[in-house]
Amino acid sequence: MKLRILGNSIRLRLSKPEVAKLHETGRVEESLSLSPTDPWDRLSYAIEHTEQVTKFEVSHIGDEIRVLIPSHEVRKWADGELVGMYGAFPVYGDQLLTITVEKDFACLDKSDADNADMFPNPNLTC
């Protein structure tokens, strides 16, 4: 799972196996180590789906940023042709944190090994 943060926006890109895992288990997570000596000094990020929310939510607890999405949105996205799910979450200062979750497409300039778990790129021409 790839994470991109830009201003008040979060963008997550998931490979095919990650989309399947999210759909089946309800959670996908990754972490980034930030210390050469402390294994607990890290940033974690996760995406979950649950019936308990009706719109996109974000929380930051400890070292983890967690994006929560309604289960019906994930089922529709994972099972269909939709490329992304898009939402917004109100944050301090009457601002919105925009949230984008997308299927990760194969890069056209990388080898087949790098693209093994990616969704077929719709811009690929033969």
Side-chain angles (χ1 to χ4, degrees):
M1 177 168 56
K2 298 176 184 171
L3 168 67
R4 186 169 97 179
I5 298 172
L6 179 63
N8 267 355
S9 68
I10 293 176
R11 181 177 176 186
L12 297 167
R13 285 187 162 176
L14 283 73
S15 66
K16 276 183 169 180
E18 292 166 335
V19 169
K21 183 178 180 182
L22 175 64
H23 186 242
E24 294 166 12
T25 70
R27 181 178 168 95
V28 174
E29 63 187 34
E30 289 283 344
S31 66
L32 169 71
S33 295
L34 299 170
S35 170
T37 58
D38 183 357
W40 300 107
D41 187 4
R42 63 185 184 185
L43 172 67
S44 298
Y45 52 101
I47 180 170
E48 293 181 13
H49 73 83
T50 176
E51 302 288 348
Q52 306 304 314
V53 299
T54 57
K55 57 187 176 184
F56 284 61
E57 294 185 13
V58 175
S59 67
H60 177 227
I61 300 171
D63 67 355
E64 182 178 270
I65 298 171
R66 183 175 60 160
V67 174
L68 286 167
I69 300 176
S71 292
H72 72 275
E73 296 275 347
V74 171
R75 285 192 295 271
K76 184 171 55 175
W77 173 69
D79 291 338
E81 297 297 318
L82 295 174
V83 172
M85 300 182 286
Y86 309 95
F89 182 70
V91 294
Y92 180 77
D94 292 327
Q95 296 184 44
L96 290 175
L97 172 65
T98 60
I99 304 158
T100 301
V101 179
E102 295 176 318
K103 294 173 182 169
D104 200 1
F105 291 120
C107 294
L108 298 178
D109 59 349
K110 289 197 174 180
S111 72
D112 287 341
D114 292 333
N115 290 325
D117 290 335
M118 301 305 160
F119 289 89
N121 192 313
N123 293 325
L124 182 64
T125 57
C126 298

